[in-house]
Amino acid sequence: MAPPKPDRRKFLKLATSAVGGGLGLIVVAPALRLLGEAAGSTTVKTPIDPIDVGAVERFPVDTPIKVTIVAAEVTDAWTSARDVVLGAAWVRRTGDKSFEVFSAVCPHLGCGVDFDGKQFACPCHDSKFALAGAAQPGAVAKRGLDSLEHDVTADGRLRITWARFALDTEEKRPA
Amino acid sequence: MINAFLRTLGWALVFLLVVEAITGTALSAFYAPSATDAWASVAYVQDRATWGWLVRGIHFHAASVIIVISGLHLLQVVLAGTYRKPRHQAWWVGLGLLGIIIAIAITGFVLRWDQAGFWANKVEVGIAGGTPIIGDTVRELALGGNDQGNLTVTRFHMLHVVALPALAAILTVLHVRFARKVGEPRDAAQPLRDLVAMAIAMAAVLTLVVSQHGVDLGPPADPAQAYDARPLWFIRWLFELRHLAGSAEKLAALAAPAVVGGILAALPIVDRSGTPEGRARRWPYVGAATGLFAVIAALTVVSIARDANNDARNKAMAAVDKQAAHARDLASRYGVPATGPLDVYATPPMWRARTIYATRCRDCHDAASDKRKGPIIAPGHGGRAWLEAFLKDPNGATFYGKTKLAKTDNAMKPVELPASEMTDLVEALYAESGAPDVDVAKRDRGRAIFEKACTDCHALGEGVAGTSAPGLGGLGSRDYYTHYIGNPKSAIHMGADSEMPRFDKELTIVERDAMAGYLVWLRSATNSQLDALGPL
């Protein structure tokens, strides 16, 4: 066979990349779109209503008590489950019916914060927080513990509105 | 001679990668990638499947050995200067391959979805989320959505099992091809040397596997329980670097691997030392590269040593190990509920009731409690022998002796009857529980005795209070207990004489019913049966 003419060669080259590229795109694009769905989608849905954590009398004044936040129902992609543990909060009773409630999620990278008897301490990267939640000098966390909204019902039960916040930022904003 | 053995490192690596592919394939037949099933399926492989611990152990420890040998291999190439042209392509592909291998190890560690894997994943995703500008998107793509869950597990599973291994396979083939492009005289003894190296590598893997009975598996992921997360040993140096970097830590964590990779990748470009000049001019590059290794090794050692000397951490970790053993024991015995791995803790028989007993009832009712205020609740409680002993001495130490009531005029008087009549009366009371083994003749005689001897104070009709003491209709039945626990101060029960608090608000009807079921079980149980229920 005679060698193809230059313009024919050009056409063949163009056509090959067009058909090949098109075929590739048809396969790859849907797969990437599927994987990319994750960005900006709420796959784990937790209820936003306040969660009952017990009677007010349960909490001694001034001593932080850790409570487990249990959601009535959570959907996680294709499963739904009842009574799901979402996380934990530190509750400090400051008066008769007044409380300070902090998420136990470290504002640094999300580890669980403990109370060492005097202050809050994160085991992972050693951030310390004062009783009132402020980050202590030397903490790698950029802000203090995140306070959670809460109220006391007429029949004397403490309810906490669970929320997660963006990690490792100076300002507290919802995640 | 030394060179001949150093050349075996590459083939030992290829061998271990094949080991990973084979063991990984076997494990994938057991692994269930979902937040509810992941831990349970790993616990099943580790503790129940035949040789599962062995395959899982080989799969885990071979990865560690691969990374160690990769480091040696890298160092050998740096010292020999064989990263230079014409082997520069092999060097670059090799660096890429090492990066992929580390990524495979990191994604694999997440899959067990125990406390360590879950919290390491949380921190890693948190760091990735700190990337400037694209951080949030990277985070969401890694998580598969807005938070850790099913789609996080499936995504890391995809990366660990499909995407990254495919990439590693391609890079391995390329690496070998590039490395062999430059022909070296083949020595007839080399294949045997290679095999010996593979055997030594495998021996190292098996030693680790046997010494740890496979590899550890912690308690299932629990978002409410803090965990002192640590990365795998080979990225420990980054953890330590962040520690040292203080406020610049995020930069350190993200930039350090890029800097190290960049320096290594640049070697073939900057190192122009040709053959005529010889080794003399290469020492700055060799020095820089080995120095980098030394720093990484030092950071790793310092970090691990600091933890080893941290008593508080060691104590916490010992508690975690204990919890893991408990969770895995329960998983082996009773299976993991389909509702999720945390529910494994609730699988021991009558767990709910026993937990309530331990937290709400024990202080006042347990023989071992020094704060006891009420009757002892123990195996046999409410049975025939118990009823007879109670009737003979209601204010005895094991019964109402510790109550305020016992010291008042309202206290019940001991019942004095001939032995046969006593047995009949006991049978009548016992029959109220609905127990299946009632002697009807005795019961009927007993009821007649009750009418004569007890009705001044008590009543036996259903739902009827006595004149001055509890109604005993249904005594010891499940319904009776549920109602009694709800409000012992009810007029039908003890009235104002009871010191026991009401539980109808503190406990749900389901919880009170579980408690009642437990009390019914206790009636015919023995101490050894109670012990056999196992720890909570």
Side-chain angles (χ1 to χ4, degrees):
Chain A
M1 215 202 305
K5 281 182 243 169
D7 53 343
R8 187 173 132 83
R9 198 181 295 161
K10 214 167 157 188
F11 164 77
L12 286 175
K13 212 170 166 182
L14 203 73
T16 315
S17 17
V19 175
L23 266 178
L25 205 65
I26 284 171
V27 180
V28 173
L32 286 182
R33 178 68 194 84
L34 178 64
L35 288 175
E37 191 210 10
S41 69
T42 307
T43 48
V44 180
K45 290 193 193 80
T46 50
I48 48 163
D49 358 313
I51 292 166
D52 188 317
V53 294
V56 167
E57 301 85 62
R58 190 186 149 190
F59 303 97
V61 173
D62 252 9
T63 309
I65 298 282
K66 189 174 161 185
V67 294
T68 303
I69 306 286
V70 180
E73 186 167 18
V74 167
T75 60
D76 174 5
W78 55 86
T79 55
S80 72
R82 281 165 196 283
D83 301 328
V84 175
V85 173
L86 294 180
W90 283 101
V91 174
R92 186 166 69 100
R93 191 172 176 189
T94 50
D96 187 26
K97 282 195 171 177
S98 58
F99 289 89
E100 244 171 26
V101 180
F102 295 115
S103 168
V105 176
C106 181
H108 177 224
L109 287 175
C111 285
V113 174
D114 289 324
F115 181 67
D116 68 6
K118 285 190 298 250
Q119 57 188 351
F120 296 103
C122 180
C124 293
H125 305 104
D126 290 331
S127 290
K128 305 265 194 290
F129 304 89
L131 205 54
Q136 301 282 48
V140 281
K142 295 195 177 80
R143 62 170 191 263
L145 292 175
D146 298 313
S147 57
L148 293 171
E149 280 181 41
H150 56 276
D151 61 3
V152 174
T153 61
D155 59 345
R157 307 206 45 108
L158 178 65
R159 300 189 309 171
I160 297 175
T161 306
W162 179 248
R164 284 187 174 279
F165 303 96
L167 296 176
D168 210 25
T169 55
E170 269 157 49
E171 38 131 26
K172 171 184 165 194
R173 60 182 163 87
Chain B
M1 189 65 191
I2 293 172
N3 270 338
F5 270 104
L6 284 176
R7 274 204 296 274
T8 61
L9 292 178
W11 285 113
L13 282 173
V14 172
F15 166 71
L16 286 181
L17 288 174
V18 173
V19 167
E20 291 298 56
I22 293 169
T23 49
T25 303
L27 289 174
S28 75
F30 289 83
Y31 186 71
S34 79
T36 39
D37 284 337
W39 183 87
S41 68
V42 177
Y44 182 87
V45 170
Q46 176 69 30
D47 296 328
R48 292 169 75 187
T50 312
W51 288 13
W53 63 273
L54 179 63
V55 177
R56 180 167 175 261
I58 293 174
H59 194 70
F60 181 88
H61 293 298
S64 288
V65 176
I66 284 175
I67 289 165
V68 171
I69 299 182
S70 298
L72 293 175
H73 187 48
L74 204 84
L75 207 57
Q76 166 221 349
V77 171
V78 167
L79 293 175
T82 38
Y83 52 80
R84 288 172 303 173
K85 273 183 186 170
R87 288 205 185 84
H88 58 296
Q89 288 159 309
W91 172 253
W92 285 327
V93 172
L95 286 179
L97 181 55
L98 180 55
I100 298 289
I101 286 172
I102 289 172
I104 293 179
I106 292 171
T107 50
F109 189 62
V110 172
L111 297 184
R112 46 173 76 187
W113 216 240
D114 64 353
Q115 281 282 72
F118 176 84
W119 288 95
N121 175 252
K122 194 180 268 295
V123 174
E124 283 154 11
V125 171
I127 292 171
T131 318
I133 306 160
I134 53 164
D136 282 346
T137 311
V138 170
R139 192 180 144 273
E140 284 167 354
L141 286 176
L143 288 175
N146 61 322
D147 203 353
Q148 285 175 299
N150 279 322
L151 290 168
T152 316
V153 180
T154 52
R155 205 153 274 238
F156 276 76
H157 181 246
M158 177 273 284
L159 288 171
H160 180 76
V161 173
V162 184
L164 295 173
L167 216 53
I170 293 168
L171 292 184
T172 304
V173 170
L174 278 178
H175 182 68
V176 172
R177 185 173 285 184
F178 284 139
R180 298 188 69 181
K181 212 158 70 175
V182 184
E184 272 187 31
R186 279 301 275 184
D187 181 342
Q190 197 60 29
L192 183 60
R193 289 194 197 107
D194 290 336
L195 273 175
V196 170
M198 292 175 195
I200 293 171
M202 197 62 201
V205 172
L206 288 175
T207 307
L208 287 167
V209 171
V210 171
S211 66
Q212 298 181 26
H213 189 73
V215 58
D216 67 331
L217 174 67
D222 183 352
Q225 198 182 356
Y227 185 81
D228 199 353
R230 290 289 182 273
L232 287 160
W233 66 268
F234 50 85
I235 35 176
R236 224 17 217 273
W237 63 281
L238 281 174
F239 175 84
E240 192 59 22
L241 201 62
R242 293 177 50 207
H243 214 86
L244 296 174
S247 57
E249 47 132 15
K250 192 136 285 182
L251 197 72
L254 289 169
V259 169
V260 171
I263 290 174
L264 292 176
L267 276 181
I269 301 168
V270 292
D271 181 1
R272 291 263 170 211
S273 63
T275 29
E277 288 89 336
R279 278 168 181 270
R281 276 179 51 187
R282 249 188 41 238
W283 71 264
Y285 310 111
V286 174
T290 42
L292 216 54
F293 271 104
V295 170
I296 288 173
L299 285 170
T300 308
V301 170
V302 167
S303 185
I304 290 172
R306 181 149 30 77
D307 271 0
N309 293 323
N310 183 341
D311 289 339
R313 183 185 149 81
N314 291 339
K315 230 171 113 187
M317 286 295 119
V320 169
D321 287 346
K322 211 175 141 200
Q323 193 191 351
H326 178 54
R328 282 162 59 180
D329 174 51
L330 293 177
S332 295
R333 280 203 229 194
Y334 308 113
V336 179
T339 42
L342 288 176
D343 288 339
V344 80
Y345 296 117
T347 54
M350 291 178 280
W351 173 85
R352 193 199 292 259
R354 288 159 67 210
T355 306
I356 295 169
Y357 179 79
T359 52
R360 303 302 185 93
C361 319
R362 206 195 151 276
D363 275 2
C364 295
H365 285 292
D366 205 85
S369 164
D370 52 8
K371 286 181 269 182
R372 184 163 67 86
K373 288 190 201 164
I376 290 176
I377 296 177
H381 179 269
R384 290 190 183 94
W386 185 91
L387 284 167
E388 184 170 337
F390 178 86
L391 291 173
K392 286 177 174 167
D393 186 15
N395 301 310
T398 57
F399 302 111
Y400 278 93
K402 297 235 175 193
T403 61
K404 288 179 187 159
L405 172 67
K407 293 169 191 74
T408 67
D409 293 344
N410 276 353
M412 176 173 161
K413 307 286 176 294
V415 177
E416 284 161 12
L417 287 171
S420 72
E421 286 187 26
M422 177 59 96
T423 325
D424 292 344
L425 178 60
V426 163
E427 197 68 12
L429 293 174
Y430 180 72
E432 290 301 311
S433 69
D437 58 341
V438 171
D439 182 322
V440 178
K442 272 181 161 181
R443 178 198 67 190
D444 291 343
R445 289 198 301 271
R447 281 183 178 164
I449 296 165
F450 187 90
E451 284 300 321
K452 282 191 288 177
C454 314
T455 44
D456 278 357
C457 309
H458 292 283
L460 205 54
E462 236 162 84
V464 183
T467 11
S468 62
L472 299 178
L475 178 74
S477 70
R478 191 158 174 156
D479 265 6
Y480 172 87
Y481 282 134
T482 306
H483 192 259
Y484 189 98
I485 295 166
N487 187 8
K489 293 183 171 73
S490 154
I492 202 172
H493 299 308
M494 298 289 289
D497 285 336
S498 175
E499 293 169 64
M500 176 171 158
R502 55 192 294 179
F503 283 99
D504 47 359
K505 289 221 174 77
E506 288 298 311
L507 300 175
T508 64
I509 182 81
V510 175
E511 289 169 328
R512 279 179 279 141
D513 176 61
M515 211 50 236
Y518 176 59
L519 291 172
V520 168
W521 177 81
L522 270 184
R523 184 173 64 222
S524 57
T526 61
N527 277 316
S528 56
Q529 281 172 321
L530 181 61
D531 292 342
L533 296 180
L536 287 168

